[in-house]
Amino acid sequence: MRRYFAWMAVALVVASVAAGCSSGGDDAAPSVPGVSGAEQAAKFSVKDFENGDVCRLVVSTNDTTADSRELQSVKLSSDVFYTPNNLKEEVVAKEGTSAGQAPVLCGFCKASSNIKAESFDALQSNSSAKATIPVQPRWQGQEAGHVETLWQTFSNEPVQVTVAKVLDDSETKHCNILSYTVSDADGRLVPAISHDEALAIAQVFDTANPADREGKGIYERITSTCGNEWSAGGGRDGDHKINIVLLDNIGSDTSIVFGYVTARDLLPAVDPNDTKADQNYSNAGEYVYLNYGTLGSSTHTVASTLAHEFTHLTQLNQKIAHDGSFVGTGLIRAETQIDAVTCLTNMMDHLSLTEGLAEVGADLCGLGVYYAKQGTDLDKIGDLYSLDAIYRYLNGASVVGGDGYVAPTQFPTAFFDSEMVDAYGLGHLFGLHVWGYYGEDKLSELYKSPLVGVELLENVLNARAGDILHRYDLGLVLSGASNVPSDYEKYVIPFVNIGGDNFYLGNDGAAASLAVSRAVPTYKVYPKLEPKEISVIPWSNIYADMICQTTSTLNVTAQAPGTARINLIHETSSGVVKNIY
């Protein structure tokens, strides 16, 4: 669908704490009652605290599986009594408002919903059945102008649409360009997209993407890092070319989707005229669907969306098709009985990974935010919608196209909870963090692994998921700060200028900029005699500022479950990092 790791050995703070922290005596920090054997009291002794400084607590809750939803309690306190004027609430949670409908950037989830698992089980378990599935290239060898009907499955009910091939086979290397149709003067159905428009899209995909750091086409860049789509034997349809479908309108007045791919297309086609057949609405091939009617005015966003969706298409092969063998499509987490088909088609608790890594697919091609800091070459600047998703996640507002909507704030977010997640913003930042800290080789392993969720992170990055996500949470808070200690520099999110301007191509064809602010604390804790309790589900990032007033050592305590990860960042009021505990 269209429109997210740093690692350092920062020890958990328990009875005795890391460098810069107290020795754990009750006289050195406020006591926190009720600490059980399953909990920890992290006690920080912050040196040289001055009025105006900020103590930023970063607490990452986690559990053994992504599906855990039992509330966890975190208590925060310090030894300084401070009450600001007109204080009404001790903890002020940042809240967003909704003034309109944000676009649904990617329709993968909806387009793939309600697929029967047995449809794939049959392909995996019955090799003779697989052998009899007809492989019929639909577009290979057809002349430009050839018209056929396809399923469009993003609608509430799948509908049939008529499309026409725009370019001859000799004009493309890795794709067929298929356009929605209009009637010419003689009443014949012809492509609505011009030959030159289609050729420009094909060239960016096939051979020469001007935004790419080495000039590679989208196809080569994505497949070299993320793995191939189902390409063995030409894939589901026997044609080695990807079918890029340019549609007039996908969605509705209240829900605009930029593009999608669907797992349905991995299935063999069923004749829509066969009333006895169980229709699966498959176009039986490797297809990417773009809402060209909405995106056509922005070639940069068309290319970025194409890279995002093609990344999804390669993931369908890595997680489900496995070049047509469908080996491993069944249960991948026995303890929860969640299968690969469910994870990928209904998204479940892996929406952030799925959408975030697809956003990073566009970055790999230079089309997301990779060049957003530069803004001098119009071929090498960020995509507005990728930037905007990050902006909305961190800041709880939107500037997309001047449409006037303000999306609900989603920070902090439970990483594996589809109901609470801002998948594009959170997932995208997470993927950039992985790329920046681990490097492109490890990022590539994430894409190519057949695993998902917690298993994916832990197997590829060789660490506990809770530790991995905590380093990401630290990276979010540190991004945009000054004087970040060298040991923590790799935590900071790369390629997007958090705390400054990011450039994108405006509607007038000139470079415009979007200022992405630093993450704002969701909780501001004004200490009193009793600790303040915050209840969250596992896999959440808690970011809280301790509002204190002192000119000496400040003692701060955070009580949390033993599985949580906790750090404290000491900054000046201007964002200069003085220490990390």
Side-chain angles (χ1 to χ4, degrees):
M1 306 174 200
R2 179 78 206 284
R3 98 85 191 129
Y4 302 20
F5 273 77
W7 176 253
M8 282 293 295
V10 180
L12 282 179
V13 186
V14 285
S16 61
V17 288
C21 303
S22 76
S23 61
D26 287 341
D27 58 342
S31 62
V32 180
V35 176
S36 71
E39 296 177 317
Q40 56 175 306
K43 301 179 179 181
F44 305 94
S45 184
V46 183
K47 310 296 184 182
D48 302 321
F49 190 90
E50 301 177 8
N51 284 334
D53 285 0
V54 183
C55 274
R56 305 198 147 156
L57 276 165
V58 184
V59 183
S60 306
T61 62
N62 58 86
D63 213 315
T64 55
T65 72
D67 308 284
S68 302
R69 293 294 180 267
E70 185 175 350
L71 285 176
Q72 296 187 5
S73 174
V74 176
K75 295 180 181 180
L76 309 176
S77 64
S78 80
D79 62 353
V80 177
F81 183 85
Y82 175 60
T83 303
N85 294 331
N86 302 317
L87 178 65
K88 294 182 179 180
E89 292 183 327
E90 187 174 302
V91 179
V92 181
K94 182 185 176 193
E95 295 181 354
T97 59
S98 180
Q101 177 68 40
V104 178
L105 301 182
C106 176
F108 178 30
C109 179
K110 185 173 181 179
S112 300
S113 62
N114 300 321
I115 302 177
K116 296 181 179 180
E118 52 264 33
S119 299
F120 290 101
D121 292 342
L123 295 175
Q124 181 181 2
S125 61
N126 192 333
S127 58
S128 61
K130 284 189 292 184
T132 62
I133 294 172
V135 177
Q136 298 175 333
R138 301 179 67 177
W139 304 100
Q140 180 180 307
Q142 302 291 352
E143 296 181 352
H146 176 75
V147 175
E148 285 202 26
T149 300
L150 296 175
W151 288 108
Q152 193 267 89
T153 59
F154 181 77
S155 305
N156 290 330
E157 293 293 337
V159 296
Q160 290 186 300
V161 294
T162 302
V163 299
K165 187 176 180 180
V166 186
L167 304 175
D168 287 324
D169 287 346
S170 61
E171 297 180 279
T172 63
K173 181 178 182 180
H174 296 298
C175 65
N176 298 307
I177 304 294
L178 313 175
S179 165
Y180 68 96
T181 60
V182 294
S183 297
D184 66 9
D186 298 322
R188 295 173 300 185
L189 293 177
V190 295
I193 309 303
S194 72
H195 177 276
D196 288 347
E197 287 178 280
L199 189 60
I201 294 172
Q203 289 176 343
V204 168
F205 186 78
D206 280 351
T207 55
N209 169 21
D212 187 86
R213 56 189 185 272
E214 296 173 341
K216 295 180 178 180
I218 290 173
Y219 182 89
E220 182 181 357
R221 175 63 67 191
I222 295 297
T223 55
S224 64
T225 302
C226 307
N228 278 83
E229 81 289 356
W230 180 358
S231 56
R236 166 54 70 206
D237 59 2
D239 184 349
H240 284 281
K241 292 185 176 182
I242 307 300
N243 302 305
I244 301 173
V245 186
L246 308 177
L247 296 174
D248 183 27
N249 182 49
I250 307 175
S252 65
D253 292 338
T254 59
S255 181
I256 301 171
V257 67
F258 286 1
Y260 71 90
V261 299
T262 174
R264 294 179 184 277
D265 289 340
L266 301 179
L267 297 168
V270 174
D271 185 350
N273 298 313
D274 185 352
T275 58
K276 296 181 179 180
D278 185 7
Q279 187 59 253
N280 57 31
Y281 309 108
S282 173
N283 289 320
E286 287 63 58
Y287 285 85
V288 172
Y289 308 87
L290 301 183
N291 191 350
Y292 195 77
T294 295
L295 299 175
S297 62
S298 174
T299 55
H300 199 79
T301 301
V302 169
S304 182
T305 303
L306 177 55
H308 176 114
E309 299 300 341
F310 183 57
T311 303
H312 276 317
L313 193 63
T314 64
Q315 292 298 279
L316 284 175
N317 185 49
Q318 305 305 313
K319 311 296 185 183
I320 296 180
H322 303 293
D323 278 328
S325 71
F326 293 89
V327 172
T329 298
L331 297 179
I332 55 174
R333 295 212 305 275
E335 73 277 11
T336 57
Q337 301 292 292
I338 294 178
D339 58 68
V341 175
T342 302
C343 287
L344 279 172
T345 59
N346 295 333
M347 295 307 179
M348 296 300 289
D349 52 5
H350 310 305
L351 189 59
S352 295
L353 285 172
T354 302
E355 289 303 336
L357 290 176
E359 283 287 79
V360 174
D363 296 322
L364 287 164
C365 300
L367 293 161
V369 298
Y370 189 88
Y371 290 105
K373 292 183 179 181
Q374 300 182 17
T376 54
D377 184 343
L378 293 182
D379 285 332
K380 295 185 173 71
I381 55 179
D383 171 56
L384 169 61
Y385 295 95
S386 289
L387 285 170
D388 181 76
I390 291 172
Y391 175 93
R392 284 187 288 117
Y393 172 62
L394 293 178
N395 307 111
S398 174
V399 296
V400 169
D403 294 334
Y405 73 81
V406 180
T409 297
Q410 298 289 337
F411 188 88
T413 304
F415 193 89
F416 288 116
D417 192 297
S418 60
E419 296 300 317
M420 295 180 64
V421 77
D422 183 334
Y424 299 96
L426 178 148
H428 193 177
L429 289 167
F430 177 74
L432 289 173
H433 179 62
V434 174
W435 188 359
Y437 191 89
Y438 289 100
E440 196 165 332
D441 287 345
K442 278 296 181 183
L443 179 67
S444 178
E445 288 184 43
L446 283 182
Y447 285 110
K448 293 178 180 179
S449 170
L451 301 172
V452 297
V454 169
E455 289 80 5
L456 171 65
L457 300 182
E458 295 187 339
N459 277 269
V460 172
L461 301 176
N462 193 30
R464 289 178 296 184
D467 295 329
I468 293 165
L469 292 176
H470 180 60
R471 274 55 184 187
Y472 162 64
D473 291 340
L474 277 174
L476 279 178
V477 178
L478 287 170
S479 293
S482 303
N483 195 41
V484 176
S486 58
D487 286 347
Y488 291 86
E489 287 178 348
K490 290 180 72 174
Y491 285 39
V492 175
I493 310 295
F495 309 127
V496 58
N497 191 18
I498 296 175
D501 286 334
N502 294 266
F503 294 88
Y504 64 91
L505 188 67
N507 292 331
D508 60 357
S513 64
L514 174 62
V516 177
S517 300
R518 293 186 65 189
V520 177
T522 306
Y523 300 96
K524 294 185 177 181
V525 181
Y526 300 91
K528 292 185 178 179
L529 295 179
E530 298 295 331
K532 186 60 187 181
E533 183 172 3
I534 302 169
S535 294
V536 294
I537 64 174
W539 309 105
S540 294
N541 49 352
I542 298 175
Y543 172 21
D545 273 2
M546 304 292 293
I547 310 301
C548 304
Q549 194 170 23
T550 184
T551 55
S552 60
T553 298
L554 172 68
N555 297 302
V556 176
T557 299
Q559 174 190 329
T563 56
R565 303 294 181 261
I566 307 168
N567 279 97
L568 185 147
I569 301 170
H570 179 196
E571 291 186 11
T572 67
S573 58
S574 60
V576 176
V577 176
K578 298 177 75 170
N579 208 343
I580 299 177
Y581 300 91

